[in-house]
Amino acid sequence: MPFAQTAGQRARAALKDARHTPYWLAQPARPEPRPPLEGQTTADLVVVGAGLSGLWTALRAKQRRPDLDVILLEGGRIANAASGRNGGFVAASITHGHLNGIERWPDEFATLNAMGVANLRGIEQTIEEFGIDCGYRRSGELQVVTEPYQLEHAADHVRMATDHGVELSLWNAERTQAEVHSPTYFGAIHDPEVGIVDPARLSWGLARAAEQLGVRIHENSGVEALQPSAAGMTVRTFGGRVETPKVALTTAAHAPLLKRLNLFVVPVFDHVVMTAPLPADVRAAIGWEQRQGIGDSGNQFHYYRLTDDDRILFGGYDAVYAAGERPGSHLERDDELTARLVQHLHDTFPQVADVPIEYAWAGAIDTCSRFSAFWGSAYSGRVGYVIGFTGLGVGASRFGADTLLDGLFKERTDRTALKMVRSKPLPFPPEPARQLVIDMTRRSLAKADEQDGQRDLWLRTLDRLGLGFDS
Ligand SMILES: Cc1cc2nc3c(=O)[nH]c(=O)nc-3n(C[C@H](O)[C@H](O)[C@H](O)COP(=O)(O)OP(=O)(O)OC[C@H]3O[C@@H](n4cnc5c(N)ncnc54)[C@H](O)[C@@H]3O)c2cc1C
């Protein structure tokens, strides 16, 4: 009789033939690269970075001001970074969750919530208007409770959010398990204002939409330098140069063109695995008919969802930071961490223990200490940026883009009046203190998860200062 496999052996066996590349980017729908920028040209606006933030900035600029001549420069390929590697949860929240928003901006939270809901509607309308085939559906999200101590927190969460005008409901264990058959659930918070999408196909669709409106897109055109000039700014790439009065930076976790952003943003690597398409009997054994996005409630949380072809994407838990590492780092492959993620998938759904893992990958998250995007400018307002989405930017990037354009074109809007928009996060300390502080915070968060959510002195101090670390 063969020996029974341990959980670790089962996880490694499932990973045996996995491709270490993002599933979303490996699809045949990936378009050919647009040609790089060559020679000298001019534009009214140059957007740097073709992730979702840059794509929305270029598209919204043309929708708001059709006469603008807009160029979008991407150093690699469209959506090659976070935007083509993420979980594809499209949340209405623009504050990295309701509680983060309520805690930081209690007076304006109702407005922030309404703007977030309107932003989600704007995304849905754009997908429909341009016929973007990206598997979007308003699935809702379940934040599942996987430890009894989390039940009280979940009830408080729903009460607090409801008091601030957010429509959430609390599901008990029976209701949650009836919907999605995992033995780990004690209940869930249901949020209807969340969708799921294939983020790469959304990005490619937005690029096409922007081009339809006249945006010029160049891939493999990394911007090496920005310099003030008679026209405003010179934007230089390896092969070309653009003279422009306005530059929008949307470069997330990459080395920033404005060095000061290093104070506020750290790249944190988040890992994901994806199963093969589930056989029909396994799919039936899980239920999950409404295909909600699911996240669990620990500090070190997992997120998971189904794809159109019934694979499970399962990510999160460990968020890895190492001084000096940027997108493309060796931290994007970590076999031990990936195997642990697969074990957690098997704990959540024992039904999939024999389904191979076909893809495993990671991406860098632009983490800031307030967890939600911030904005700013340089060169007397000729250069603007949005950055710091901290792992919840698929939906919020459209709001981020509009706010960036408000600032660049000096338009006063409901957005520019917001405290959230007018303030910045607290900076991280410089190295080597930064690495120490982040490691200490990660250890404390893991300990809190093991000790029924009890936050130690370090976390309580950070809480009091409004500081945090999250993916
Ligand atoms: C593993 C993972 C899971 C996630 N899951 C979710 C989720 O489920 N839901 C959610 O809301 N968010 C999620 N996120 C976050 C989300 O992906 C991003 O916030 C969102 O896609 C917005 O990204 P961005 O455009 O700001 O950055 P990016 O997608 O990183 O784009 C920045 C672009 O700028 C380019 N660039 C950088 N420097 C230069 C330069 N000098 N010149 C030219 N180009 C340059 C880069 O090549 C890159 O393409 C996740 C992120 C990761 C990594």
Side-chain angles (χ1 to χ4, degrees):
M1 203 173 93
F3 293 111
Q5 279 182 321
T6 64
Q9 285 167 336
R10 210 167 27 246
R12 281 177 204 285
L15 273 163
K16 190 167 55 73
D17 297 321
R19 292 176 63 189
H20 292 269
T21 191
Y23 162 80
W24 305 123
L25 296 174
Q27 302 178 86
R30 188 175 199 178
E32 288 300 309
R34 274 76 171 175
L37 178 72
E38 276 173 15
Q40 187 177 336
T41 184
T42 59
D44 299 321
L45 169 67
V46 174
V47 182
V48 182
L52 284 164
S53 296
L55 290 161
W56 278 118
T57 304
L59 179 64
R60 292 294 298 140
K62 288 297 284 185
Q63 286 178 322
R64 286 167 58 165
R65 295 176 168 224
D67 295 341
L68 278 188
D69 182 15
V70 180
I71 291 188
L72 173 54
L73 298 177
E74 165 53 46
R77 302 287 314 279
I78 292 168
N80 203 43
S83 298
R85 294 162 181 264
N86 62 63
F89 287 49
V90 195
S93 173
I94 53 175
T95 56
H96 201 276
H98 310 303
L99 296 191
N100 190 47
I102 292 169
E103 244 164 59
R104 291 179 194 279
W105 302 288
D107 301 344
E108 67 186 25
F109 181 75
T111 309
L112 292 170
N113 183 50
M115 285 181 172
V117 170
N119 183 58
L120 183 61
R121 301 284 179 281
I123 294 171
E124 290 167 345
Q125 275 162 16
T126 307
I127 290 172
E128 204 178 313
E129 183 186 341
F130 290 95
I132 299 176
D133 173 18
C134 56
Y136 176 80
R137 57 186 290 154
R138 177 81 75 80
S139 57
E141 181 176 351
L142 294 174
Q143 186 182 323
V144 293
V145 171
T146 55
E147 299 287 345
Y149 77 84
Q150 294 167 356
L151 277 169
E152 200 183 320
H153 296 190
D156 287 347
H157 179 154
V158 171
R159 204 173 310 117
M160 212 186 293
T162 311
D163 286 351
H164 284 82
V166 185
E167 252 185 73
L168 296 182
S169 45
L170 191 60
W171 290 7
N172 62 19
E174 208 177 14
R175 167 104 199 254
T176 312
Q177 300 232 10
E179 191 79 24
V180 185
H181 313 324
S182 166
T184 60
Y185 299 162
F186 292 91
I189 298 170
H190 177 251
D191 181 351
E193 297 288 358
V194 180
I196 54 170
V197 76
D198 172 334
R201 274 161 48 211
L202 173 62
S203 302
W204 299 329
L206 291 175
R208 215 180 42 249
E211 284 173 330
Q212 274 172 30
L213 300 189
V215 173
R216 289 177 277 161
I217 302 181
H218 297 283
E219 293 178 76
N220 297 309
S221 300
V223 173
E224 295 172 347
L226 302 175
Q227 274 160 356
S229 67
M233 298 298 295
T234 304
V235 180
R236 259 178 227 288
T237 68
F238 177 73
R241 179 170 124 197
V242 193
E243 293 295 332
T244 180
K246 300 282 176 197
V247 182
L249 301 177
T250 62
T251 60
H254 301 73
L257 288 157
L258 300 174
K259 296 272 179 288
R260 72 185 77 156
L261 291 177
N262 281 321
L263 288 173
F264 298 104
V265 178
V266 294
V268 170
F269 293 84
D270 193 39
H271 289 254
V272 176
V273 294
M274 188 182 272
T275 66
L278 304 182
D281 57 327
V282 174
R283 177 77 181 79
I286 295 181
W288 209 353
E289 290 308 319
Q290 300 308 314
R291 298 173 171 273
Q292 297 94 340
I294 302 181
D296 53 33
S297 305
N299 288 304
Q300 291 190 293
F301 61 93
H302 305 93
Y303 51 87
Y304 43 102
R305 54 156 299 175
L306 288 164
T307 61
D308 287 354
D309 59 350
D310 282 343
R311 300 163 183 273
I312 297 178
L313 175 152
F314 194 87
Y317 193 67
D318 273 328
V320 185
Y321 169 74
E325 297 302 331
R326 293 283 177 189
S329 154
H330 67 96
L331 296 179
E332 288 180 1
R333 178 156 179 185
D334 183 330
D335 291 347
E336 198 179 314
L337 195 155
T338 304
R340 188 156 60 237
L341 210 45
V342 176
Q343 278 186 48
H344 294 175
L345 165 66
H346 292 168
D347 294 343
T348 306
F349 295 122
Q351 303 94 320
V352 308
D354 294 326
V355 179
I357 301 295
E358 285 196 347
Y359 293 88
W361 70 89
I365 280 170
D366 51 337
T367 297
C368 71
S369 65
R370 73 181 205 184
F371 309 150
S372 63
F374 62 96
W375 296 262
S377 63
Y379 296 101
S380 311
R382 283 169 282 175
V383 176
Y385 61 82
V386 60
I387 196 162
F389 291 97
T390 317
L392 204 69
V394 173
S397 54
R398 179 179 177 279
F399 175 85
D402 265 322
T403 310
L404 169 55
L405 293 167
D406 294 342
L408 268 177
F409 291 104
K410 303 205 172 5
E411 287 179 25
R412 283 182 175 214
T413 66
D414 292 347
R415 290 175 292 263
T416 56
L418 292 168
K419 277 192 205 133
M420 180 178 85
V421 170
R422 303 173 81 87
S423 61
K424 293 216 174 29
L426 286 169
F428 291 101
E431 296 294 358
R434 179 176 293 193
Q435 180 81 56
L436 283 173
V437 164
I438 291 176
D439 287 347
M440 206 160 127
T441 310
R442 283 177 59 204
R443 276 198 299 276
S444 290
L445 289 170
K447 205 164 74 194
D449 283 340
E450 283 160 18
Q451 297 178 347
D452 291 354
Q454 296 299 321
R455 294 170 87 77
D456 63 12
L457 183 63
W458 174 247
L459 291 182
R460 291 202 305 276
T461 308
L462 292 182
D463 291 344
R464 265 198 303 278
L465 295 171
L467 274 168
F469 176 72
D470 197 290
S471 58

